[in-house]
Amino acid sequence: MRGAKSAKWVAGAIVVALAATACGGGKSDEGKAGAGAVDPNGIFSMDLGEPEKPLLTGDTMESNGASVMAGLFSTLVDYKSDGSLEMINAESVTTTDSKTWTVKLKPGWTFHDGTPVTAKSYVDAWNWNANIANAQGLASWFADIKGFDKVHPEAEGAKATADKLEGLKVVDDNTLTIELTKPVPYFAHKLAYIVFAPLPESFFKDPKAAGQAPVGNGPYKFKSWDHKKQIEITRFDGYKGPNKAKNGGVLFKNYTTVEAAYEDLKSGNLDVIRQVGPKDLPVYRQDLGDRAVDQPYSAIQTIAVAFYADQWSKPKPVDPKVIQGLSMAIDRATITKTVLNGTREPATGWVAKGVLGFQENAAGDVTKFDPAKAKELIKAGGGVPGNKIFIQYNADSGHKEWVEAVCNSIQQATSVQCVGDGKPDLQADLTARKNKQVKSFYRSGWVLDYPVNANFISDLFRTGAGGNQGGFSNKELDAKIAAADSAKTLDESIKAYQGIEKELVNYMPSIPLWYYKVNAGYSEKVTGVQFGQDGDPILTGVEVHK
C-alpha cells in the first residue's frame, strides 16, 4: 500500500505515479551481493525529473511531483489490487444512497508540524483547492460536491460567490459529511487521490511557501528541494498509518535523460530507477539480473488530439474518420515488439488493464493495422489538412524512438507526413499543452487515480475535466457520463462506462497505442523494492543495507 499520491500525466515512456498496493517487483534478495544487515535509518536514492509546479495537493498533475507527494501525504483511503478500498487516515467511509457520505477519521494523527489532523483539516483543504480564485488544476475533482458551482463557476472570468462547498460539513473533530449533487457510486474510490489530502492550518497562512516546503501527514516529511537537482524527504516517526517507512528517507535525484540515470544505477550512484529507456531495454535484464523489474501496471499510452488546433478546427471541426484512419495506420504490434523490445502490449481500447471495467477490443477495428482501410477513412473524412501532422512529446524520457516509429508507420501506410515535435522536458511539454500551442497531437500517458474505468473516461474526455487538455467536448457524451455517474450501484456505473468506452470510436478524442509495463531496476544496496499498481516504487517498503 502507500500514502496518497497524485498521478496524472506520465513523464516517462515507462513510468507514471500514484502507487497503490504492491503487485509485484523484485524477488527475495537474501543471500545476494550487498544484502547485509538492514539500516532502518538508511537513505536511498531514486531518479526523478523536476516537478512541473510547486508541490500543492490541488495542482500536482504530473508524475515527478506526484512521486514526492506520495511520501509526504496520506489520504483517507487507498485501494487494493482487486479494486476494493483500504482505510488509511479514515476509520470508515459509509453511505446509504451514494449521495451523502460520512467519513470517520482514525484519531491521533498529526501533521509533520505536530498539529492534529482533524475533519476540519480535510474540509478546509478541499474548500481551498476547489475555489476558482486559487487556480488549482485539480479543482474539477470537487465538481460532484454540492455548491461547487458557487466556489468554482463555469463562466469565463466569473468569480466565486461562496468560499465554501455547501456539501461539506464538520460534525466533530473526527467526523465529516459530504453531500454530492447527485449519487456517485464510486466516490469513495476517488478519495484516494492526492487532491483529497488534508492540509494543516499553517498552509493557509502562506500557500506559496507551503508549495516549496510542504507540511503533510504522510510517512515522510519534507527536508529540502534544490531545484533541478534533488529533493529529499525523511521518515516521519510520528506517522500513524499502516504503511510506515522501513527506511530513513528518500533522495530524489534529478536527471535530464533516462539513459544517464541508468548509467548511474549500474555504477552504484543511484538505488532505484523508475524506467529504463528504449536504448537499454534489450540489455537491462542481463545487466541487473534479479534486480530487473518487468511487470504490467494500470496505465495506457495514447496520442491525444488538440481539437483547438487550426488544423482540426478550421474551417470546420475534424471528422472522426480522419483520426480513425490515422489510428489504423499505426503498426502497434511491430513497434511494441521491436522499438519497445516487447515491453508493451498493443491497446485495444481507452481503459487500462487492471481496473474495474476493463474490456478487450472496446475500440473495435480502429486499433488494428490496416493501411488500405486507413487511407479509405482519411479520404472519407475529407483528408488531413496540409497532409502533415505533428506529434508533440517530452524528449527527456525515452519517447523519441517510438514517436518516430509511429510517424514512419503513418507515412508509409497513408503518405501523410508525420513529424515528431520534441520539447526538452515534461515542463515544456505541459506548458505547450496548457497554452494551447500543440499543432496536431500530443503524447499522453495516463495512469489510474482510482481503479475504476470512469477514471480513464470521465476524467479525460468530459468537458472541463482536469485531464482534458486537448479541448475535446461533446454534449451528448457529457450526458452519458453524467448518467453513468448517477447509476444506483458501482456495478451499474461500471457497465454504463463500458458502453461509453465502446462509443468513443465515434468521437476519437485520442488514439490508443499500448498498455504500459514497469521496466525498472534497483541497486545491490537496497531490497524490498516493489512497484504498485500505478507503476511507481512503493517508497515505504524499500530497505537499505549497511
Side-chain angles (χ1 to χ4, degrees):
M1 76 197 154
R2 51 90 185 143
K5 275 188 176 182
S6 83
K8 295 304 182 190
W9 304 114
V10 185
I14 295 139
V15 71
V16 283
L18 194 89
T21 51
C23 58
K27 300 176 183 177
S28 171
D29 297 286
E30 291 184 10
K32 289 169 53 176
V38 171
D39 178 3
N41 297 315
I43 305 292
F44 73 94
S45 59
M46 189 176 100
D47 73 300
L48 196 74
E50 174 76 359
E52 177 203 8
K53 295 179 176 181
L55 298 172
L56 297 170
T57 61
D59 212 24
T60 300
M61 299 177 64
E62 45 73 41
S63 59
N64 292 327
S67 291
V68 182
M69 298 294 267
L72 298 177
F73 288 90
S74 284
T75 43
L76 293 164
V77 301
D78 202 342
Y79 43 81
K80 303 175 185 178
S81 56
D82 64 359
S84 62
L85 288 178
E86 178 179 16
M87 298 297 113
I88 303 297
N89 195 181
E91 187 71 52
S92 63
V93 179
T94 58
T95 185
T96 58
D97 58 4
S98 295
K99 184 179 181 182
T100 300
W101 299 75
T102 299
V103 176
K104 291 189 177 296
L105 302 181
K106 294 175 182 176
W109 278 53
T110 64
F111 288 103
H112 301 151
D113 61 4
T115 58
V117 177
T118 66
K120 187 174 183 294
S121 307
Y122 281 93
V123 170
D124 288 351
W126 300 358
N127 282 328
W128 194 90
N129 284 342
N131 196 307
I132 194 170
N134 298 321
Q136 297 298 281
L138 298 175
S140 66
W141 280 72
F142 300 98
D144 298 322
I145 300 175
K146 186 177 181 181
F148 179 75
D149 57 337
K150 294 179 181 178
V151 301
H152 201 105
E154 186 176 343
E156 186 80 23
K159 295 183 179 180
T161 57
D163 60 0
K164 294 180 175 60
L165 290 160
E166 185 182 347
L168 298 181
K169 297 287 188 294
V170 174
V171 178
D172 56 44
D173 280 352
N174 293 314
T175 310
L176 66 138
T177 59
I178 309 163
E179 183 182 354
L180 309 182
T181 56
K182 61 182 185 301
V184 179
Y186 58 85
F187 184 77
H189 284 77
K190 296 179 72 170
L191 294 175
Y193 192 41
I194 187 66
V195 73
F196 290 104
L199 291 169
E201 290 184 9
S202 61
F203 171 88
F204 305 100
K205 297 175 182 177
D206 194 345
K208 186 175 180 180
Q212 297 299 315
V215 175
N217 67 325
Y220 298 94
K221 57 185 178 181
F222 178 85
K223 182 177 180 181
S224 63
W225 184 359
D226 190 355
H227 285 275
K228 297 192 176 181
K229 292 183 179 179
Q230 64 182 41
I231 297 174
E232 188 169 1
I233 60 177
T234 58
R235 185 181 63 235
F236 175 47
D237 290 328
Y239 183 62
K240 302 293 186 182
N243 51 325
K244 294 183 179 180
K246 296 180 179 180
N247 51 71
V250 190
L251 179 64
F252 299 98
K253 298 175 69 174
N254 187 278
Y255 289 89
T256 55
T257 68
V258 289
E259 290 79 14
Y262 185 66
E263 289 302 315
D264 261 11
L265 180 76
K266 290 194 297 180
S267 63
N269 295 319
L270 181 69
D271 296 316
V272 179
I273 187 172
R274 303 175 300 159
Q275 59 179 328
V276 176
K279 180 178 74 70
D280 297 306
L281 284 176
V283 298
Y284 88 103
R285 296 179 187 87
Q286 290 80 14
D287 289 345
L288 302 179
D290 284 349
R291 293 180 288 108
V293 178
D294 182 358
Q295 70 178 59
Y297 70 103
S298 299
I300 187 171
Q301 182 83 76
T302 67
I303 302 173
V305 187
F307 286 94
Y308 55 76
D310 288 349
Q311 184 173 36
W312 306 132
S313 62
K314 298 177 180 179
K316 60 180 181 180
V318 62
D319 190 319
K321 289 188 180 69
V322 174
I323 312 301
Q324 292 172 355
L326 292 170
S327 176
M328 296 189 76
I330 300 170
D331 188 352
R332 295 164 179 78
T334 297
I335 294 171
T336 54
K337 183 178 180 180
T338 57
V339 178
L340 294 169
N341 203 50
T343 60
R344 304 290 182 279
E345 180 183 349
T348 61
W350 284 268
V351 175
K353 287 192 168 186
V355 304
L356 300 175
F358 169 79
Q359 52 189 345
E360 294 278 4
N361 300 314
D365 291 338
V366 300
T367 56
K368 297 176 181 177
F369 181 53
D370 188 335
K373 185 66 175 177
K375 286 185 281 191
E376 180 185 319
L377 283 166
I378 291 172
K379 183 178 180 181
V384 173
N387 202 48
K388 184 176 184 179
I389 61 171
F390 297 85
I391 301 176
Q392 179 177 301
Y393 65 96
N394 53 303
D396 60 338
S397 297
H399 298 295
K400 183 175 185 288
E401 292 84 353
W402 71 254
V403 169
E404 289 180 347
V406 167
C407 276
N408 288 337
S409 183
I410 290 173
Q411 285 188 188
Q412 292 175 15
T414 66
S415 296
V416 173
Q417 295 181 61
C418 181
V419 178
D421 183 11
K423 304 301 179 186
D425 53 32
L426 185 62
Q427 286 181 314
D429 177 34
L430 293 176
T431 297
R433 296 188 211 176
K434 291 171 184 177
N435 291 337
K436 296 187 176 181
Q437 296 171 338
V438 178
K439 300 172 184 176
S440 304
F441 297 95
Y442 60 90
R443 174 211 68 86
S444 178
W446 192 259
V447 66
L448 82 170
D449 297 315
Y450 51 95
V452 182
N453 56 355
N455 184 220
F456 289 81
I457 299 173
S458 177
D459 295 311
L460 280 174
F461 307 134
R462 173 173 41 86
T463 301
N468 186 351
Q469 294 187 328
F472 174 77
S473 180
N474 185 279
K475 292 183 179 179
E476 182 181 75
L477 191 66
D478 286 343
K480 291 179 179 179
I481 287 173
D485 284 347
S486 299
K488 292 183 179 179
T489 66
L490 178 59
D491 285 345
E492 289 179 34
S493 179
I494 289 169
K495 288 178 182 178
Y497 270 108
Q498 286 179 320
I500 293 172
E501 185 186 10
K502 289 183 176 180
E503 293 182 20
L504 288 178
V505 67
N506 300 318
Y507 308 104
M508 294 302 292
S510 67
I511 297 175
L513 292 179
W514 38 77
Y515 306 118
Y516 274 98
K517 289 178 71 178
V518 176
N519 299 102
Y522 51 95
S523 74
E524 294 180 343
K525 178 185 171 184
V526 295
T527 54
V529 180
Q530 293 188 320
F531 287 72
Q533 190 178 352
D534 73 308
D536 231 25
I538 299 172
L539 305 178
T540 54
V542 178
E543 293 182 316
V544 182
H545 294 278
K546 293 180 179 178

